[in-house]
């Protein structure tokens, strides 16, 4: 029997990278997974790959009506939600900058997805979890950039991730009484669409690799195990915590 058998999950950003890797792992462990992403083609293709345990939710996380409709669809299909894993984000590499040079439009576009989007998905996800009375597990995605010097130069992205980590902790305090656990995952540099502009440049890749004491950057598959653990009942005593799966970048 899979570790997530019988659980209904929603993963945001499931059309690519870490979210897509988690969707594969969740379905492999027996969960039914709503694949939420603004990229409708990507979630349709991922749903086809994963079969009857996955269904697409083409959604813009920054738009409340769109998010509300996605969770209404989960309620219509399954009547409940056990796990929410928020991975949708943008990093505007080449546009993000230190605040004295940072365009307000870059700040707004980043925070609209990365912080407002996480808030909206948590808002509608937690409501659905509370309806069942059975509790649930929410997993938000932070970043070492929200905590360490690895965010230097990217003030919009890093501050959005620090905001997500703060929201995760305060939500853990308030929703424990509803049996809803709220934890964060902090990935190191992972090779995905988000980091492609960095990883494709050999010099930047060498610099990033050197930042990770473990001697390499990661893959979406490296991030799947911690997400399954936090989604599963085996992590029942964990809430309000951040789990670093970052090749050691945060110990620097
Ligand atoms: N890749 C890394 O090195 C790294 C490091 C630390 C944290 N993270 C975090 O991990 C998470 C996943 O990142 P990834 O590297 O897999 O990125 P990715 O770019 O591969 O995937 C992000 C997904 O989010 C979706 N998305 C973007 N805007 C959206 C919106 N408005 N509505 C709905 N979906 C939207 C994209 O379509 C994409 O499919 C993000 O929260 C990111 O900040 C990534």
């Amino acid at each position: 029997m899979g570790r997530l058998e019988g659980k209904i999950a929603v993963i945001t950003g499931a059309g690519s990278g870490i979210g897509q890797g988690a969707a594969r792992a969740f379905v492999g462990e027996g969960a039914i997974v709503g694949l939420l992403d603004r990229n409708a083609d990507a979630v349709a293709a991922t749903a086809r790959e994963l079969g009857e345990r996955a269904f697409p939710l083409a959604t813009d996380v920054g738009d409340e009506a769109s998010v509300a409709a996605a969770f209404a669809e989960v309620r219509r299909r399954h009547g409940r939600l056990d796990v929410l894993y928020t991975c949708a984000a943008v990093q505007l590499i080449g546009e993000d900058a230190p605040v004295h040079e940072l365009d307000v439009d870059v700040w707004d576009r980043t925070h609209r997805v990365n912080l407002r989007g996480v808030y909206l998905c948590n808002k509608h996800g937690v409501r659905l979890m509370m309806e069942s009375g059975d509790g649930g597990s929410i997993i938000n995605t932070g970043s070492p950039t929200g905590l360490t010097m690895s965010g230097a130069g990217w003030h919009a992205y890093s501050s959005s991730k620090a905001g997500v980590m703060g929201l995760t902790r305060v939500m853990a305090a308030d929703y424990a009484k509803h049996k809803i656990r709220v934890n964060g995952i902090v990935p190191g540099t992972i090779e995905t669409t988000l980091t492609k502009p960095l990883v494709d440049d050999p010099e930047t890749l060498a610099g990033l690799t050197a930042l990770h004491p473990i001697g390499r950057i990661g893959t979406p598959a490296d991030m799947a195990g911690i997400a399954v653990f936090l989604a599963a009942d085996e992590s029942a005593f964990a809430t309000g915590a951040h789990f670093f799966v970052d090749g050691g970048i945060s110990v620097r």
Side-chain angles (χ1 to χ4, degrees), residues 12-21 36-40 42-43 57-63 66-67 85-91 109 112-114 117-118 121 140-145 157 160-161 164 185-196 198-199 208 212 217-218 220 223 245-246:
T12 81
S16 173
I18 295 170
Q20 189 182 51
L36 190 156
D37 202 293
R38 74 171 165 199
N39 186 335
V43 278
L57 296 165
T59 306
D60 174 2
V61 297
D63 178 75
S66 180
V67 172
Y85 182 19
T86 62
C87 292
V90 293
Q91 183 171 5
R109 282 192 283 141
R112 178 182 182 278
V113 180
N114 296 12
V118 168
C121 291
N140 291 321
T141 309
S143 168
T145 60
Y157 180 80
S160 72
K161 288 294 167 178
V164 168
I185 294 177
V186 182
T189 304
I190 308 298
E191 192 168 355
T192 66
T193 311
L194 188 106
T195 52
K196 196 170 167 23
L198 304 173
V199 171
L208 281 172
H212 296 71
I217 64 165
M223 301 307 302
V245 181
D246 68 352

Side-chain angles (χ1 to χ4, degrees), residues 106-137:
V106 175
W107 173 275
D108 285 345
R109 282 192 283 141
T110 303
H111 277 252
R112 178 182 182 278
V113 180
N114 296 12
L115 187 51
R116 176 187 161 97
V118 168
Y119 143 64
L120 288 174
C121 291
N122 277 245
K123 173 179 177 177
H124 291 276
V126 91
R127 283 183 177 178
L128 187 48
M129 283 180 184
M130 286 167 78
E131 279 174 23
S132 76
D134 295 333
S137 173

Side-chain angles (χ1 to χ4, degrees), residues 126 130 133-136 138 168-182 236-240:
V126 91
M130 286 167 78
D134 295 333
I138 295 178
T168 297
R169 286 168 55 83
V170 74
M171 283 183 62
D174 275 319
Y175 292 111
K177 59 180 170 289
H178 297 283
K179 295 186 279 183
I180 295 170
R181 302 183 293 110
V182 192
F237 198 53
T239 197

